[in-house]
Amino acid sequence: MQHQKQSVVEASVKAIEWSGMVLRLLDQRLLPGEEVYVDHENAQQVAKAIRDMLVRGAPAIGIAAAYGIALAARRIGHSDDWESALANDFAELESARPAAINLAWALRMMRDRLQRLLGHADVPGQLLAAAISIHESDIESNRTMGKLGMQLIRKHQKAPQNIMTHCNAGALATGGYGTALGVIRAAHAAGLVDTVYINETRPGLQGSRLTAWELAQEQIPALLHVDSAAAHLMKTLAITWVVVGADRVAANGDVINRIGTYALAVLAMHHGLRFMVVAPSSTIDMSLEVGEDAAVEERDAEELLLAGSQRIDPGVPAFNPVFDVTPADLIDVIVTEKGIVERPDGTKMADLMSHKHLH
Ligand code: MRU
């Protein structure tokens, strides 16, 4: 694998780039200190990048996996039985980080495409075109959601507002532009943002390392605070919205997202703030009846034990669940590219997914 430093900071952050030959992923573990792009040439390298969180954020994981299949097909070149030839690559990518449902979604799209291609002369070229199209349509969805979310913020109040966000649901977590940060970008462009309050998001610090970095690049006014300051800030400041992304949305509207999201939804309800979840329909899993049925991803407890360069030895075991479930009844609105769902429930989610929904 080749390491390459980008010298130019682009106005719009790109976590995923198809170079024409390789998949270039921004190593998000090194941000904001270093901007290093790592070239990926095969599906195994892409699966490792997902497992190690070099690339993270549900839509970005799905897009990277789709390119992983395209890379695998190119290495194979020709086959009389493409499904068997790619079976191990599909399996390895699928198990890399299953909590982000966009991973399964993107691989399903690639599998469907493959099935329609049997007998085609250029399967690798067609699978690459499919991956590029998943990537491009994610950016398009983000722009649509940005506009829909911004309109909701404007409907509530025309003056600039304080908005809280959690984790990183920005350009880095997606094909580009972002889900929650897409809404914040659009709201800022419309003059609706006073200050964005960023939860640092322990233990991975996606808030302080990634969201703060993205907002600073676009000069969107923001303040960083520890996660445990959220209640105090909601009580003492005029914050109107909490806007977050999602890793998986259940058929009843429950939302699985980075640990701490549930706490923010409870706090928002208590303090009378609105709670918005922004996620493309590829994040909605109608096969999951309720959020509690999903297995919550647990990561290595070591992630908790570093304080700066010092490793703490707490003398007790550490426990590191990294996602939680926010019940639908704590959510004011789910924004998707297909439309918005206010006060989500099973019927409204089913309407949205069957295209009957109008916004
Ligand atoms: O563990 P991470 O960093 O992949 O968690 C990501 C999040 O929780 C994001 O907020 C979520 O994936 C939405 S990404 C648009």
Side-chain angles (χ1 to χ4, degrees):
M1 253 196 283
Q2 212 183 319
H3 283 67
Q4 183 170 324
K5 176 114 173 80
Q6 276 229 329
S7 52
V8 186
V9 178
E10 290 175 313
S12 166
V13 183
K14 274 191 193 154
I16 303 175
E17 246 182 317
W18 176 251
S19 77
M21 286 305 290
V22 294
L23 177 64
R24 199 159 276 167
L25 297 174
L26 178 58
D27 189 341
Q28 301 194 31
R29 299 165 306 181
L30 303 179
L31 289 172
E34 286 178 82
E35 277 172 63
V36 177
Y37 283 81
V38 184
D39 290 352
H40 293 74
E41 293 166 3
N42 60 50
Q44 288 64 43
Q45 289 171 352
V46 176
K48 182 166 172 14
I50 295 171
R51 271 195 307 274
D52 296 350
M53 290 182 69
L54 181 148
V55 60
R56 36 67 53 201
I61 289 171
I63 295 162
Y67 281 117
I69 292 298
L71 286 167
R74 196 184 56 194
R75 280 179 90 81
I76 295 165
H78 299 281
S79 175
D80 293 331
D81 182 359
W82 276 104
E83 286 191 78
S84 309
L86 287 170
N88 287 342
D89 300 293
F90 270 108
E92 184 165 358
L93 286 162
E94 206 140 39
S95 62
R97 212 173 158 213
I101 200 65
N102 300 61
L103 175 62
W105 175 88
L107 291 173
R108 197 166 61 243
M109 293 292 114
M110 294 301 280
R111 228 182 228 119
D112 288 353
R113 183 68 163 255
L114 180 62
Q115 270 156 11
R116 292 199 305 272
L117 283 174
L118 299 182
H120 195 286
D122 181 18
V123 169
Q126 293 296 311
L127 288 178
L128 176 59
I132 292 172
S133 140
I134 288 173
H135 190 174
E136 285 174 350
S137 66
D138 184 67
I139 301 173
E140 206 177 302
S141 293
N142 288 343
R143 291 198 177 271
T144 304
M145 292 187 287
K147 198 164 151 205
L148 293 175
M150 177 278 284
Q151 287 166 347
L152 283 165
I153 291 172
R154 189 172 56 198
K155 191 167 141 198
H156 175 60
Q157 187 180 304
K158 293 205 166 38
Q161 299 169 51
N162 294 319
I163 297 173
M164 184 175 281
T165 191
H166 190 64
C167 194
N168 173 269
L172 290 168
T174 62
Y177 198 67
T179 55
L181 287 195
V183 168
I184 288 172
R185 280 188 165 89
H188 176 254
L192 295 168
V193 174
D194 181 320
T195 303
V196 182
Y197 286 85
I198 308 170
N199 284 275
E200 65 172 353
T201 319
R202 286 226 2 118
L205 300 177
Q206 288 91 331
S208 44
R209 293 189 308 103
L210 308 177
T211 296
W213 183 74
E214 275 196 42
L215 295 181
Q217 289 203 37
E218 298 203 15
Q219 296 177 351
I220 298 177
L223 277 174
L224 175 69
H225 56 86
V226 293
D227 299 336
S228 42
H232 170 69
L233 297 179
M234 288 185 191
K235 189 169 75 175
T236 55
L237 299 173
I239 298 174
T240 49
W241 288 90
V242 177
V243 181
V244 296
D247 286 85
R248 192 167 177 187
V249 180
N252 71 340
D254 290 350
V255 165
I256 296 159
N257 196 45
R258 247 287 151 178
I259 195 87
T261 305
Y262 170 42
L264 292 176
V266 172
L267 291 174
M269 180 67 85
H270 180 78
H271 293 96
L273 277 65
R274 282 156 200 260
F275 197 89
M276 182 192 298
V277 176
V278 190
S281 55
S282 52
T283 305
I284 298 170
D285 182 1
M286 294 304 280
S287 72
L288 180 70
E289 253 175 72
V290 295
E292 298 300 339
D293 287 350
V296 168
E297 179 181 340
E298 246 180 74
R299 294 187 73 84
D300 193 339
E302 283 298 311
E303 285 185 355
L304 264 69
L305 301 179
L306 274 186
S309 54
Q310 201 196 337
R311 188 186 175 280
I312 300 164
D313 184 358
V316 297
F319 175 41
N320 186 22
V322 296
F323 291 105
D324 59 25
V325 182
T326 300
D329 60 8
L330 293 179
I331 297 168
D332 287 288
V333 60
I334 298 179
V335 175
T336 78
E337 83 286 4
K338 286 175 182 275
I340 64 166
V341 181
E342 291 186 90
R343 295 255 144 238
D345 62 23
T347 311
K348 293 179 194 171
M349 294 305 292
D351 276 359
L352 175 89
M353 294 308 277
S354 65
H355 296 272
K356 276 191 278 170
H357 193 85
L358 293 175
H359 58 261

